[in-house]
Amino acid sequence: MAEKTLFQKIMDRELPGDIIYEDDRCVALRDINPQAPTHVLIVPRKPIPSLDDLTEEDAPLVGHLFVVAKKVAEREGLDRGYRTVFNNGPDANQTVDHLHLHLLGGRRMGWPPG
């Protein structure tokens, strides 16, 4: 059996995490190194290492992550807008090998990012 990812350990309550939403398919937790006043990670319970590991069967799950992002944004009062981001691989600064959607808001975002 593969070692659990950091996010699996948080979901299993083996490590602390500020979980603000959860359902049977994902959890949303506050990032420990926020890049905006609101920085939440939406993490599927299924341990998919990266976007490159997605399959067609994962499409409904990925769609669900965006629906949850919308719900969390509403709860967090991000009525002036927010950004959602997937980092994929080391050049994109993906630091945990478990797919997760970043939800950032609470300030004006610059463009281009990065």
Side-chain angles (χ1 to χ4, degrees):
M1 179 181 225
E3 185 175 327
K4 288 182 179 181
T5 68
L6 171 68
F7 295 143
Q8 287 174 294
K9 290 176 182 176
I10 292 170
M11 286 184 264
D12 291 343
R13 307 311 200 261
E14 295 170 13
L15 290 175
D18 188 1
I19 296 173
I20 61 171
Y21 172 91
E22 67 183 305
D23 62 29
D24 61 329
R25 293 185 277 178
C26 70
V27 300
L29 60 139
R30 296 200 187 279
D31 194 297
I32 61 169
N33 185 25
Q35 301 300 304
T38 298
H39 188 168
V40 174
L41 308 176
I42 297 121
V43 185
R45 291 186 184 276
K46 180 180 179 182
I48 303 166
S50 72
L51 283 172
D52 292 336
D53 297 294
L54 288 175
T55 65
E56 288 291 329
E57 74 179 25
D58 296 317
L61 175 59
V62 173
H64 180 69
L65 299 180
F66 282 100
V67 171
V68 169
K70 176 186 174 287
K71 288 179 188 178
V72 171
E74 288 172 353
R75 289 182 183 180
E76 294 289 311
L78 300 178
D79 56 345
R80 293 186 45 86
Y82 54 91
R83 180 171 288 166
T84 56
V85 177
F86 280 113
N87 295 329
N88 189 63
D91 281 357
N93 203 31
Q94 182 181 0
T95 59
V96 178
D97 289 333
H98 189 139
L99 184 79
H100 53 286
L101 179 65
H102 293 257
L103 169 66
L104 300 117
R107 67 169 170 82
R108 183 142 177 90
M109 301 287 158
W111 195 262

